[in-house]
Amino acid sequence: MARRSCAVYVVGIICASLLITGIGLTVSRIFGGIMYNRLTKEIVLVEGSRVFESWKKPPPPVYMEFFFFNVTNVKEIIGGAKAVVKQVGPYTYREYRYKDNVSMVENGTLVSAYNVKSFVFLREKSVGDPTVDNITTVDIPAWAAMNKVNGSFWKASGLSIIMRAVGSEPFTTRTVHELLWGYKDPLLARLASTNPDVEPVFGLMYKKNGSNDGEFIYHTGEHNYMDYGRVKTWKGQSQLTFWTSNQSNSINGTDGSAFHPLLNKNEHIYVFTSDLCRSIHMEFEKEVYVKGIPAYRFTPPRSVFASKEENPANEGFCITPKECLGTGLLKVSPCRKGAPVVASFPHFYLAESKYVNAIGGMSPERTHHQTFLDLNPTTGVIVRANKRAQINILMSRITGLPKTRQLNETVFPVMFLNESVEIDDASAARVQKLLLIVKLGSNFPLIIVGLGVIMLIVFIILLVRARKQKTPAEDDTSYSPVSDKEKDDPQNGTFIGLTPKSDPQA
């Protein structure tokens, strides 16, 4: 009995201790703070950190798909008719990327690197052979040259003579390979003979295979986890010079390859893209799961490419007041050597309907044309992403160039790209393991509370059993019958057997 009572008391004490400790830790959230502090110390861009090697050489495969718009009615367009195009693609390349010449600067508080990309064609993921398939599209070198002389009748007339001499037209037919990786253009070659600054070779991806887009200097995130991967300077500049306002020229956010941990749904994700020569922001859209990993989907809203009337903050992206385009477009001429290049989302997704209706064959769809990032909110790791952008040329009538006399002013689509990545299985397993550790560490107080509840149940069971087994002590002087005969005796054992007395007078 004494041992049983001692066990009950011990269980009760353990139960109380676990419950008090667990509830106290849960309320104070000490363990959650410890785990999150440890996480922010691990996710930094310094040698030996958990993420540094994968940041320098990302393991998940990246694919670049190119879709071209093949023009089907060139003669009619020259005569003033609406353009009709047909999408052709994808032509898919495996993109290999890594950070080159990585070095720590300013006492290890910043890290410098060059982003190198190279591309290898994947026939099995493509619709055809890029060296064979022909595409009819606008002649970008010709339109770049025409745009240069726009406003000067005499210069335009001189260019018209040169174009006629070399056979240059507003539209051209080239192979996919030539359009992407370069070809010697006769008009550029003629202009280069008198101007050494003119490059005779043109290609949408010319000199972008195995090259980099300049030096980036990043914050390591060691002093503030919110600065993890944030771009400090690009090509030695902390501010751009392409646009007309300080806000538009600001370099905000990361380069799109890394994001800080502990994301929340209410924040804006900023990305600086050197292809657009500007920063854009993304907003939370919804929660998703990728290979069992929870993620927040962030997408660029309509306001990113909105007109200055719809979003006054975008007025700084107007090169001149007359060159402000409508919602859904961004003229990137300042960082494309003056060429009339206009960026948009594929098929003019999120753009004004007038741009969609101006070209036959446009059909914007959210599923196929939206840009998005799926980020794990705990670690900031990219689990899936699709970067989609379209290259267009601004076509207009130019005085002195007869071949443009009947053209309608049009934002003409040339091609769009889809740069996609999804976390590989090995990386997904590592992220899931890390998330499990963080979850267990953060929920450790709840585990203690759970053990306390179990011990409480055991304590109650022991108490009930102890009460059931305990019986009142019996009195030692109580009477107990010694035979069945006593039980049956109505006189309760006081009977005395007597023999009848004989009559003495008998």
Side-chain angles (χ1 to χ4, degrees):
M1 288 293 292
R3 289 181 178 177
R4 187 178 296 114
S5 299
C6 183
V8 173
Y9 292 137
V10 170
V11 171
I13 293 171
I14 295 174
C15 168
S17 300
L18 289 174
L19 287 174
I20 293 172
T21 303
I23 293 173
L25 291 174
T26 301
V27 172
S28 63
R29 298 184 178 181
I30 293 176
F31 272 82
I34 292 174
M35 292 305 300
Y36 289 139
N37 286 336
R38 179 65 184 274
L39 187 66
T40 57
K41 297 298 182 185
E42 286 287 333
I43 302 181
V44 291
L45 298 180
V46 297
E47 289 287 354
S49 71
R50 185 184 293 272
V51 298
F52 196 57
E53 290 303 318
S54 60
W55 175 77
K56 290 193 292 185
K57 192 174 183 180
V62 180
Y63 297 98
M64 180 71 88
E65 296 174 316
F66 297 99
F67 299 82
F68 286 85
F69 295 106
N70 189 51
V71 183
T72 61
N73 62 335
V74 171
K75 290 182 179 179
E76 291 79 2
I77 297 172
I78 296 296
K82 176 180 176 178
V84 178
V85 299
K86 181 180 180 181
Q87 179 178 301
V88 180
Y91 295 91
T92 307
Y93 293 76
R94 171 71 189 273
E95 180 181 328
Y96 295 90
R97 51 169 63 189
Y98 65 93
K99 300 274 194 305
D100 191 26
N101 198 20
V102 179
S103 58
M104 307 304 296
V105 296
E106 294 193 18
N107 297 322
T109 59
L110 301 171
V111 57
S112 168
Y114 292 81
N115 296 318
V116 179
K117 297 180 182 180
S118 58
F119 302 88
V120 177
F121 179 67
L122 300 177
R123 181 63 182 86
E124 67 277 9
K125 291 182 176 289
S126 305
V127 297
D129 186 343
T131 62
V132 175
D133 295 354
N134 286 321
I135 299 293
T136 298
T137 185
V138 294
D139 191 328
I140 298 178
W143 280 101
M146 288 189 287
N147 189 67
K148 284 282 189 181
V149 299
N150 191 10
S152 173
F153 175 80
W154 298 109
K155 288 183 179 180
S157 299
L159 179 63
S160 178
I161 295 172
I162 296 174
M163 289 178 64
R164 201 178 305 116
V166 299
S168 184
E169 300 284 342
F171 292 87
T172 186
T173 299
R174 297 282 177 178
T175 66
V176 170
H177 184 84
E178 287 177 322
L179 290 172
L180 284 176
W181 308 112
Y183 61 93
K184 189 172 182 179
D185 182 80
L187 177 59
L188 293 180
R190 178 68 174 270
L191 296 175
S193 63
T194 56
N195 186 351
D197 293 333
V198 175
E199 173 67 62
V201 177
F202 169 78
L204 294 167
M205 297 290 289
Y206 180 55
K207 292 185 177 180
K208 291 186 177 182
N209 196 353
S211 61
N212 65 75
D213 51 358
E215 182 191 30
F216 282 82
I217 293 182
Y218 306 89
H219 291 271
T220 64
E222 193 169 15
H223 297 300
N224 184 353
Y225 77 92
M226 295 290 288
D227 287 336
Y228 169 71
R230 183 167 66 85
V231 177
K232 181 177 175 61
T233 64
W234 175 55
K235 293 184 175 180
Q237 296 179 316
S238 58
Q239 281 277 112
L240 303 174
T241 57
F242 303 118
W243 313 111
T244 60
S245 72
N246 290 332
Q247 182 177 350
S248 300
N249 280 318
S250 297
I251 297 177
N252 299 319
T254 73
D255 65 353
S257 65
F259 297 90
H260 69 79
L262 309 182
L263 295 163
N264 68 71
K265 298 177 181 179
N266 297 321
E267 68 178 296
H268 284 177
I269 298 297
Y270 285 89
V271 177
F272 171 71
T273 168
S274 59
D275 294 328
L276 296 178
C277 305
R278 62 162 291 186
S279 299
I280 65 171
H281 73 271
M282 299 188 183
E283 297 176 351
F284 173 80
E285 180 182 273
K286 62 181 179 179
E287 294 185 18
V288 296
Y289 280 83
V290 180
K291 296 186 177 180
I293 300 173
Y296 290 169
R297 173 162 293 182
F298 290 88
T299 63
R302 177 184 168 94
S303 61
V304 168
F305 287 158
S307 65
K308 66 176 183 177
E309 290 78 19
E310 190 174 326
N311 181 8
N314 284 346
E315 186 173 0
F317 294 111
C318 296
I319 302 166
T320 65
K322 293 182 179 180
E323 293 184 90
C324 275
L325 300 176
T327 292
L329 306 178
L330 174 69
K331 191 173 183 181
V332 293
S333 301
C335 64
R336 291 292 177 267
K337 297 182 179 179
V341 179
V342 177
S344 70
F345 293 119
H347 285 251
F348 300 113
Y349 172 69
L350 294 182
E352 294 179 34
S353 57
K354 66 180 181 180
Y355 300 115
V356 178
N357 298 331
I359 306 291
M362 295 290 100
S363 55
E365 296 179 20
R366 182 189 193 90
T367 303
H368 300 297
H369 304 140
Q370 182 189 50
T371 291
F372 66 84
L373 282 169
D374 291 342
L375 307 176
N376 175 253
T378 302
T379 62
V381 170
I382 301 171
V383 292
R384 182 171 54 200
N386 281 82
K387 173 187 172 183
R388 292 159 172 155
Q390 180 170 298
I391 296 175
N392 312 278
I393 295 297
L394 183 61
M395 295 174 52
S396 61
R397 299 172 185 175
I398 299 175
T399 304
L401 290 164
K403 292 182 179 180
T404 69
R405 187 177 300 153
Q406 294 180 309
L407 283 176
N408 294 319
E409 184 168 321
T410 311
V411 179
F412 205 100
V414 177
M415 70 95 166
F416 77 86
L417 57 87
N418 176 27
E419 190 175 27
S420 62
V421 63
E422 183 173 310
I423 191 168
D424 60 289
D425 293 338
S427 298
R430 287 194 293 270
V431 172
Q432 288 172 337
K433 182 179 179 181
L434 178 60
L435 293 177
L436 179 61
I437 294 172
V438 172
K439 188 173 183 179
L440 290 176
S442 301
N443 294 328
F444 185 67
L446 295 179
I447 296 174
I448 295 176
V449 172
L451 291 174
V453 172
I454 293 173
M455 295 301 293
L456 178 61
I457 295 172
V458 172
F459 177 65
I460 293 171
I461 293 173
L462 290 176
L463 278 179
V464 172
R465 290 184 61 185
R467 286 187 176 278
K468 284 184 177 181
Q469 291 179 1
K470 183 178 181 182
T471 58
E474 299 190 347
D475 191 358
D476 291 340
T477 60
S478 61
Y479 168 75
S480 298
V482 296
S483 67
D484 291 339
K485 185 176 179 180
E486 279 187 287
K487 294 179 182 179
D488 297 334
D489 183 5
Q491 300 186 36
N492 200 22
T494 60
F495 172 80
I496 300 175
L498 298 175
T499 57
K501 187 178 180 181
S502 60
D503 187 357
Q505 293 183 356

